[in-house]
């Protein structure tokens, strides 16, 4: 880490969240964890086809950042995208429907887990090409600047994606043009089955600093710290002070994807247990809520139970929901263009 | 009617559309003060400023991706790719990102983006600045592909491309930038999926795209002197393709040659020929022939390079033999 990089490890409570904000952050983290537990179950029980990547363990990253955004702010997401989707405001029902390929899914079942997005809340899509959305996020920010709109775009990507050349092309342009984009690198220590240190030479934040982009390394298991910093950077982006770069140190609890069960050849059970027991973002934040007198244990238990119930109902709904009709297969290949706009004089 | 160059026609289309729609902008390498190496964009930055005529670093995947993101969120970017050969560099952004957003989102997102680039050999530019790669993009569902064959088409198709709500790749013939053609002063647009019958004929149909339209017309003139009446049709857009006009022509003439400057193997010519075989088989008196560029990297040496592209004489010779009832192979 270079001297310019700012390291954030502890949340400051002075400018901390209101009670509502804190409870909402907790709720959103539990909603992600619960969504993933159900998605994993759907896969393991053979009810869901394909492959899917669990966000469990990384909740504080998506929630800390997305709670600093408004509905008109945009995000781009990754193959590990359920967490971003929930955090940006999506509903369980449409999400489970999408995972099961049902017509009521956010993408009418045509996207699936790896392309899931609630477009109405500014989610420009999960992307199954590692690093594939970096240009999209930067272009969204260029559009905001060009059209005089004050929204900010956050580009989520993994440590593995820092090896894609596209990142360096768009960081260069984002810095040259001072675009309102935040590059949020979720460093969960692994790129598929390979440790980050084996694929990334030097420091990750230094990559951004080379372009003159202010970069921060953050404890990605601390939702308050992530949120506090994100709020500041989002505000500075709106003031024309962007772009920024965040490296969020985090951990995925499951395998790379749901089928990655026997993984001791690349990651020890001891390491997994350490992150789950000692650094879990939900356990940590729950303790903070109680300590601060924001919520009592019993209230939190009730909240957790309610979310479990919501998920159960949404899963049941999605299982019973209809598949798209066969006539949908060649719909939406091309967008309609109003013929009136194609006339001269219009 | 006044005559202007293809370069001026493109420039006029861009000026008109950028005046009409403040969400449009141009992005690419040396597009602003330089107006591109072909000088097609001269004067635009003076009118629209550097915020709407944006010079980029040499980062093709980066600025095409930026175009996709801007288009997804409410702008209408016109992305300038200096040479068609650079399409290879931007395949992911174009084919995995731009082309699929509408479908993958169940119709909720769309990418109204134009990618303008060029094609064409015989400019002595070597193997990496001479290719005609329309088949690569035409293969991908979700992208429309327009191939203007003169200044008139260049203007009318560009205006439609900018207003279309999909990614449109529009490929100009870089050898034609200084060629003049009649272009009306008043505004017009050319709809996608409407072929243009450039010349009517009764003995054989020559379906030709872009640079090859001139070649087909010259071949038709040669054939006319020999008493063979060739119909020349320019599809103008290959996606969508106006099959109906092509099929009707072939039903009338019962013979066809398809000519395109892309490589012949697995190319545009094969696709169109195959559709004619499938849909007009009983009307055909001879196999539909393909004439594409030779399947070699484009050589530098002028004597070699000129051999790689279909010529009027080559087209006329194939047409002659088809009309004589010889079951031949394309040159
Ligand atoms: C361009 C590309 N290459 C390879 C893959 C296969 N792949 C999917 S996820 C992944 C690892 C990504 O690692 P990282 O960016 O750290 O994200 P994480 O999975 O850890 O969240 C790989 C190699 C892909 N989807 N796209
Ligand atoms: Mg990773």
């Amino acid at each position: 880490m270079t001297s310019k990089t700012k390291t954030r490890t502890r949340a400051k409570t002075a400018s901390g969240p209101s009670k509502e904000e804190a409870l909402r952050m907790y709720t959103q983290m539990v909603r992600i964890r619960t969504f993933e537990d159900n998605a994993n179950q759907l896969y393991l029980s053979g009810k869901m086809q394909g492959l899917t990547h669990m966000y469990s363990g990384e909740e504080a990253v998506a929630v800390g950042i997305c709670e600093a955004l408004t509905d008109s702010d945009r995000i781009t997401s990754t193959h590990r995208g359920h967490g971003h989707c929930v955090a940006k405001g999506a509903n369980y029902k449409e999400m489970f429907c999408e995972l099961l390929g049902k017509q009521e899914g956010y993408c009418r079942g045509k996207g699936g887990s790896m392309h899931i997005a609630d477009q109405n809340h500014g989610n420009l899509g999960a992307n199954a090409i590692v690093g594939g959305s970096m240009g999209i996020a930067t272009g969204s920010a260029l559009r905001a600047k060009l059209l005089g709109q004050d929204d900010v775009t956050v580009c989520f990507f993994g440590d593995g994606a820092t090896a894609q050349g596209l990142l360096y092309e768009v960081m260069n342009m984002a810095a040259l043009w001072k675009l309102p984009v935040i590059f949020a690198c979720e460093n969960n220590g692994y790129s598929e089955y390979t440790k980050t240190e084996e694929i990334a030479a030097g420091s990750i934040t230094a990559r951004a600093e080379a372009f003159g982009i202010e970069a921060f390394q953050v404890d990605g298991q601390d939702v308050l710290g992530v949120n506090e910093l994100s709020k500041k950077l989002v505000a500075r982006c709106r003031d024309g002070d962007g772009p920024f770069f965040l490296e969020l140190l985090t951990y995925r609890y499951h395998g790379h994807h749901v089928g990655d069960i026997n993984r001791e050849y690349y990651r020890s059970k001891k390491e997994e247990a350490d992150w789950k027991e000692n650094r879990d973002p939900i356990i940590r934040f729950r303790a903070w809520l109680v300590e601060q007198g924001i919520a009592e244990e019993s209230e939190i238990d009730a909240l957790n139970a309610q979310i479990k119930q919501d998920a159960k109902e949404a899963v049941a709904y999605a299982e019973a929901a209809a598949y798209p009709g066969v006539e949908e297969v060649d719909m939406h290949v091309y967008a309609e263009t109003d013929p009136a706009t194609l006339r001269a004089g219009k | 009617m006044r005559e202007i160059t293809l370069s001026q026609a493109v420039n006029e289309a861009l000026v008109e559309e950028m005046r009409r729609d403040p969400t449009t902008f141009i992005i690419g390498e040396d597009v602003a003060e330089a107006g591109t190496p072909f000088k097609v964009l001269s004067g635009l930055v003076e009118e629209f400023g550097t915020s709407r005529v944006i010079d980029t670093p040499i980062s093709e995947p980066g600025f095409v991706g930026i175009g996709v993101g801007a288009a997804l969120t409410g702008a209408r970017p016109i992305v300038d790719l200096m040479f068609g050969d650079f399409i290879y560099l931007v395949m992911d952004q174009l084919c995995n990102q731009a082309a699929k957003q509408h479908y993958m989102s169940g119709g909720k997102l769309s990418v109204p983006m134009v990618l303008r680039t060029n094609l064409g050999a015989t400019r002595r530019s070597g193997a990496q600045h001479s290719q005609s790669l329309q088949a690569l993009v035409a293969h991908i569902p979700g992208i429309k592909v327009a191939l203007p064959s003169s200044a008139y088409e260049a203007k009318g198709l560009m205006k439609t491309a900018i207003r279309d709500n999909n990614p449109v790749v529009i490929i100009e013939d870089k050898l034609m930038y200084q060629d003049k053609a009649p272009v009306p002063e008043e505004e017009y647009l050319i709809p996608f999926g409407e072929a243009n019958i450039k010349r009517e004929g009764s003995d054989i149909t020559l379906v030709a795209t872009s640079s090859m339209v001139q070649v087909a017309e010259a071949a038709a003139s040669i054939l006319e002197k020999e008493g063979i009446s060739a119909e020349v049709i320019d599809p103008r857009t290959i996606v969508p393709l106006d099959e109906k006009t092509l099929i009707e022509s072939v039903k009338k003439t019962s013979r066809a040659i398809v000519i395109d400057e892309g490589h012949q193997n697995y190319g545009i010519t094969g696709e169109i020929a195959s559709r004619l075989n499938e849909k007009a088989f009983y009307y055909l008196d001879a196999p539909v022939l393909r004439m594409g560029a030779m399947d070699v990297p484009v050589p530098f040496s002028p004597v070699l390079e000129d051999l790689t592209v279909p010529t009027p004489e080559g087209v006329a010779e194939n047409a002659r033999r088809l009309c004589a009832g010889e079951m031949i192979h394309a040159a």
Side-chain angles (χ1 to χ4, degrees):
Chain A
M1 198 189 317
T2 67
S3 55
K4 267 172 73 191
T5 303
K6 293 146 187 91
T7 305
R8 304 275 174 134
T9 47
R10 283 235 64 85
K12 287 200 208 75
T13 46
S15 62
S18 68
K19 179 178 170 171
E20 290 70 36
E21 286 172 336
L23 282 176
R24 188 173 150 84
M25 285 199 277
Y26 179 82
T27 305
Q28 287 291 71
M29 288 203 291
V30 176
R31 286 184 71 235
I32 294 174
R33 182 75 55 91
T34 309
F35 184 89
E36 296 298 49
D37 288 345
N38 280 275
N40 195 38
Q41 221 31 60
L42 282 171
Y43 177 83
L44 293 177
S45 61
K47 289 179 178 162
M48 174 187 162
Q49 303 190 34
L51 83 167
T52 183
H53 309 77
M54 302 281 98
Y55 198 74
S56 312
E58 307 190 14
E59 294 87 352
V61 173
V63 172
I65 291 176
C66 290
E67 284 300 304
L69 302 175
T70 68
D71 281 355
S72 54
D73 292 319
R74 311 300 217 282
I75 64 164
T76 62
S77 169
T78 68
H79 57 284
R80 198 176 301 290
H82 306 165
H84 310 131
C85 196
V86 170
K88 198 68 177 64
N91 297 323
Y92 270 177
K93 246 195 205 169
E94 290 90 333
M95 283 187 72
F96 281 118
C97 280
E98 191 58 39
L99 291 197
L100 297 183
K102 302 297 178 79
Q103 180 169 2
E104 283 180 70
Y106 275 116
C107 310
R108 302 179 76 87
K110 286 175 163 166
S113 165
M114 286 200 285
H115 303 293
I116 198 164
D118 169 13
Q119 303 85 0
N120 291 332
H121 283 100
N123 187 344
L124 299 176
N127 208 306
I129 303 298
V130 170
S133 71
M134 294 157 169
I136 292 173
T138 309
S140 168
L142 177 70
R143 176 269 320 152
K145 186 167 179 176
L146 179 77
L147 303 184
Q149 299 165 342
D150 79 344
D151 60 281
V152 171
T153 305
V154 176
C155 177
F156 288 102
F157 57 95
D159 48 285
T162 64
Q164 288 285 18
L166 185 63
L167 177 62
Y168 305 94
E169 297 189 7
V170 299
M171 283 203 297
N172 185 37
M173 287 184 266
L176 281 169
W177 305 334
K178 294 195 164 304
L179 299 182
V181 56
I182 297 174
F183 297 101
C185 175
E186 306 178 306
N187 184 349
N188 59 12
Y190 294 87
S191 168
E192 249 178 28
Y193 320 113
T194 307
K195 284 191 196 308
T196 308
E197 65 237 37
E198 291 170 32
I199 56 102
S203 126
I204 292 205
T205 49
R207 288 157 162 71
E209 285 161 355
F211 297 97
I213 297 176
E214 239 179 287
F216 302 82
Q217 193 186 57
V218 195
D219 176 0
Q221 307 307 84
D222 171 12
V223 73
L224 282 175
V226 173
N227 183 249
E228 187 198 359
L229 178 60
S230 300
K231 278 181 178 161
K232 282 186 189 146
L233 299 184
V234 168
R236 286 178 62 191
C237 269
R238 292 202 214 284
D239 285 345
D241 230 5
F244 296 103
F245 187 100
L246 292 176
E247 179 190 5
L248 302 121
L249 303 177
T250 187
Y251 201 76
R252 64 164 157 79
Y253 287 177
H254 292 261
H256 169 61
H257 61 83
V258 278
D260 173 25
I261 311 278
N262 300 317
R263 51 184 180 267
E264 278 180 273
Y265 69 94
Y266 74 88
R267 198 170 91 165
S268 73
K269 288 209 159 116
K270 188 163 160 283
E271 180 188 292
E272 292 185 3
D274 179 45
W275 279 85
K276 287 181 188 173
E277 286 157 25
N278 303 317
R279 305 178 68 168
D280 183 74
I282 296 176
I283 297 175
R284 277 170 72 178
F285 194 51
R286 176 180 176 139
W288 185 86
L289 289 175
V290 174
E291 187 189 295
Q292 297 289 313
I294 292 173
E296 294 189 9
E297 296 283 5
S298 59
E299 289 173 72
I300 297 176
D301 285 339
L303 190 64
N304 291 351
Q306 181 60 50
I307 293 168
K308 264 208 177 106
Q309 184 57 28
D310 291 349
K312 201 175 149 193
E313 286 168 16
V315 168
Y317 182 91
E319 286 186 70
Y323 285 106
V326 290
E327 73 283 357
E328 286 247 353
V329 69
D330 60 357
M331 271 168 65
H332 308 122
V333 178
Y334 292 97
E336 299 288 326
T337 304
D338 178 0
T341 65
L342 296 175
R343 281 187 216 124
K346 293 286 163 176
Chain B
M1 199 186 296
R2 67 168 180 155
E3 296 210 336
I4 60 173
T5 65
L6 190 145
S7 170
Q8 287 169 318
V10 173
N11 190 297
E12 276 190 8
L14 295 171
V15 168
E16 287 175 17
E17 292 305 303
M18 287 178 75
R19 283 183 190 154
R20 173 184 170 270
D21 183 350
T23 69
T24 53
F25 67 97
I26 295 175
I27 186 166
E29 290 156 19
D30 283 325
V31 292
E33 286 78 7
T36 78
F38 298 101
K39 303 294 169 202
V40 174
L41 306 183
S42 297
L44 288 181
V45 72
E46 283 77 7
E47 175 166 353
F48 300 105
T50 49
S51 63
R52 289 182 67 198
V53 184
I54 306 172
D55 272 341
T56 66
I58 307 163
S59 303
E60 287 82 4
F63 66 73
V64 173
I66 284 174
V68 179
L72 271 176
T73 55
R76 285 189 181 261
I78 300 148
V79 181
D80 191 291
L81 193 65
M82 192 184 288
F83 281 88
D85 310 69
F86 306 161
I87 281 177
Y88 296 127
L89 280 86
V90 306
M91 284 308 261
D92 182 56
Q93 292 306 311
L94 196 57
C95 302
N96 269 326
Q97 310 299 338
K100 296 180 178 31
Q101 297 297 331
H102 189 66
Y103 192 84
M104 290 195 304
S105 66
K108 293 192 184 146
L109 299 173
S110 55
V111 182
M113 177 180 89
V114 175
L115 185 89
R116 63 169 286 274
T117 189
N118 50 47
L119 58 70
T122 69
R123 199 166 167 269
R124 318 308 179 212
S125 304
Q128 296 172 340
H129 284 71
S130 306
Q131 296 165 89
S132 303
L133 298 177
Q134 50 272 29
L136 266 71
V137 280
H139 185 63
I140 311 303
I143 302 176
K144 296 186 180 181
V145 186
L147 300 176
S149 60
S150 81
Y152 176 78
E153 278 81 18
K155 181 169 180 185
L157 292 172
M158 178 61 78
K159 286 171 69 81
T160 302
I162 293 169
R163 298 188 197 185
D164 195 282
N165 286 335
N166 296 279
V168 178
V169 178
I170 183 159
I171 312 181
E172 297 151 10
D173 176 10
K174 59 173 117 51
L175 281 96
M176 238 191 257
Y177 280 127
Q178 297 315 317
D179 289 2
K180 287 192 170 177
V183 174
E185 306 259 5
E186 46 304 343
E187 186 182 32
Y188 66 96
L189 285 85
I190 298 177
F192 283 0
E194 274 188 25
N196 181 28
I197 303 175
K198 294 282 287 190
R199 176 183 179 127
E200 294 205 20
S202 53
D203 297 326
I204 185 165
T205 301
L206 304 177
V207 180
T209 63
S210 181
S211 51
M212 294 297 107
V213 174
Q214 287 181 350
V215 168
E217 286 184 299
S221 297
I222 296 171
L223 293 166
E224 186 180 25
K225 297 193 187 94
E226 303 167 16
I228 297 174
S229 163
E231 179 146 297
V232 177
I233 304 185
D234 170 13
R236 301 199 287 203
T237 54
I238 50 173
V239 183
L241 181 70
D242 180 2
E243 275 184 6
K244 194 164 161 275
T245 299
L246 304 186
I247 289 166
E248 271 164 19
S249 172
V250 170
K251 284 182 177 174
K252 177 177 72 175
T253 62
S254 73
R255 299 175 190 89
I257 304 178
V258 188
I259 314 143
D260 173 85
E261 203 179 331
H263 295 300
Q264 185 168 297
N265 280 352
Y266 302 97
I268 301 299
T269 54
E271 174 65 27
I272 295 177
S274 172
R275 293 203 209 184
L276 296 176
N277 280 328
E278 285 170 11
K279 297 184 181 172
F281 183 71
Y282 284 107
Y283 297 86
L284 290 169
D285 285 342
V288 178
L289 288 194
R290 299 165 299 146
M291 292 184 74
M294 280 177 75
D295 292 297
V296 298
V298 179
F300 165 71
S301 177
V303 283
L304 299 180
E305 185 178 27
D306 289 347
L307 297 173
T308 66
V309 180
T311 59
E313 296 71 28
V315 174
E317 174 59 13
N318 276 339
R320 216 174 272 132
R321 293 171 67 187
L322 274 188
C323 290
E326 296 174 30
M327 304 293 276
I328 53 158
H329 298 287

